[in-house]
Amino acid sequence: MTMMQHNTDHVLFYGDSRNNMIRSKKKDGDDDDDDSIMLVLVLLNYHLPRFTPILWDQASLHVCADGGANRLYDELPLWFPDDDPADVRQRYKPDVIKGDLDSIRPEVKEYYSEMGVKIIDESHDQDTTDLHKCVIFIRDYVPDLDKNHIKLLVLGGLGGRFDHEAANINVLYTFANVLRIVLLSEESSLTLLPSGYLHEIHVNRSFEGPHCGLVPLGAPSSSTTTTGLHWNLDDTPMAFGSLISTCNLLESDIVTVRSDAYLLWTTEIRYEP
């Protein structure tokens, strides 16, 4: 089996940059070093969490998916009422806007175009979502960089219309063996744990939890085993229509998960501005 390693960092939202880390080690015990992580921020067309500026400062690449540019343009200046809106928009200028461009307002598109932002029109492709299009761009943006060293933090991907959320979860599944992607809101974090790995999840309980959950995706799990949870699973089957591990609780700073199915891993986020 090919070795895959996950390191999903969540910033501590109280002004420092300590990281929460998810590390995945292959079942045979192999591991590799992961000292250099490229953080990429993707903004979707839904309300942005108030910690967006904190994540922005840590990211190397900032991508707006179509109408995510409207959210950036409209919402960021509201969080800095003492600053000139033009100065705020200059500080938080995206590197790329990509999508079918049916949601971005004409004046916002013109504004960022005049600022030199790269705008990619993929209106010819109506079979994939704007997030999917952005993930493809990010995948190809750094072709020489090991994809295990790229981490996508997606803002605006949870909440709002459920069909949009389902499409975003489908993107997690589609790229599960290509890139590490985390959907974030002010209430939750969501990522996908592929099968065939022992996942060692380092949580930062100063802002994560106590609630958490594991939900099989794509197929039932006939066997999932965990440590570090209040209600651990021990070779436990999970499937819709029977047991899934929701409303569980973190009992440790380290959680391990092993399963024969792809699992969504979610933790509660406690944000205090």
Side-chain angles (χ1 to χ4, degrees):
M1 274 187 175
T2 303
M3 191 273 192
M4 178 192 288
Q5 185 178 32
H6 294 264
N7 293 310
T8 304
D9 295 345
H10 303 278
V11 299
L12 186 64
F13 301 133
Y14 305 107
D16 70 31
S17 59
R18 285 183 298 163
N19 289 327
N20 167 66
M21 186 177 295
I22 292 181
R23 296 172 181 166
S24 297
K25 293 184 285 187
K26 218 39 191 166
K27 285 183 176 178
D28 61 10
D30 288 344
D31 199 359
D32 63 18
D33 187 28
D34 193 356
D35 294 327
S36 177
I37 296 296
M38 177 182 178
L39 283 180
V40 179
L41 202 62
V42 182
L43 278 57
L44 304 187
N45 190 14
Y46 190 66
H47 297 300
L48 299 177
R50 289 167 292 172
F51 51 71
T52 299
I54 300 174
L55 293 176
W56 187 282
D57 291 340
Q58 299 181 56
S60 301
L61 182 66
H62 312 88
V63 180
C64 288
D66 197 358
N70 297 336
R71 301 289 180 174
L72 184 67
Y73 182 92
D74 293 339
E75 296 180 17
L76 265 291
L78 300 178
W79 301 334
F80 300 93
D82 297 330
D83 294 355
D84 186 301
D87 292 338
V88 176
R89 292 176 181 130
Q90 179 63 44
R91 287 204 306 272
Y92 298 100
K93 180 180 74 170
D95 299 296
V96 177
I97 300 170
K98 184 175 181 180
D100 62 8
L101 306 187
D102 64 343
S103 299
I104 187 173
R105 301 196 306 272
E107 69 273 18
V108 174
K109 181 180 177 182
E110 180 180 7
Y111 182 87
Y112 285 123
S113 178
E114 291 179 351
M115 293 179 73
V117 174
K118 183 175 185 178
I119 300 177
I120 304 173
D121 183 347
E122 291 212 344
S123 54
H124 63 278
D125 177 7
Q126 293 298 311
D127 293 330
T128 62
T129 65
D130 291 325
L131 175 57
H132 187 117
K133 294 175 175 65
C134 288
V135 173
I136 291 292
F137 171 81
I138 294 161
R139 182 197 65 186
D140 298 339
Y141 180 78
V142 281
D144 296 329
L145 184 63
D146 183 347
K147 300 305 183 290
N148 285 333
H149 295 259
I150 303 174
K151 197 174 312 172
L152 279 64
L153 303 179
V154 180
L155 306 183
L158 298 173
R161 283 171 42 187
F162 179 73
D163 60 331
H164 286 168
E165 289 184 302
N168 296 333
I169 292 171
N170 185 52
V171 169
L172 294 184
Y173 192 88
T174 301
F175 294 96
N177 293 300
V178 180
L179 289 167
R180 291 166 294 169
I181 306 172
V182 183
L183 307 182
L184 283 170
S185 72
E186 286 188 14
E187 296 81 21
S188 300
S189 165
L190 183 68
T191 194
L192 188 65
L193 306 179
S195 60
Y197 293 83
L198 173 64
H199 299 277
E200 184 178 275
I201 306 171
H202 293 240
V203 297
N204 190 328
R205 289 196 285 169
S206 67
F207 67 91
E208 278 194 291
H211 294 96
C212 62
L214 285 164
V215 179
L217 184 66
S221 167
S222 60
S223 173
T224 297
T225 299
T226 67
T227 65
L229 303 179
H230 185 75
W231 292 283
N232 277 310
L233 306 173
D234 184 9
D235 199 25
T236 305
M238 289 196 297
F240 281 98
S242 59
L243 173 72
I244 59 174
S245 181
T246 59
C247 295
N248 213 322
L249 297 170
L250 296 170
E251 288 284 316
S252 171
D253 293 337
I254 299 176
V255 174
T256 66
V257 180
R258 185 195 298 266
S259 181
D260 63 347
Y262 282 44
L263 301 179
L264 289 169
W265 163 253
T266 183
T267 57
E268 176 184 9
I269 296 293
R270 304 188 315 279
Y271 176 65
E272 300 175 10

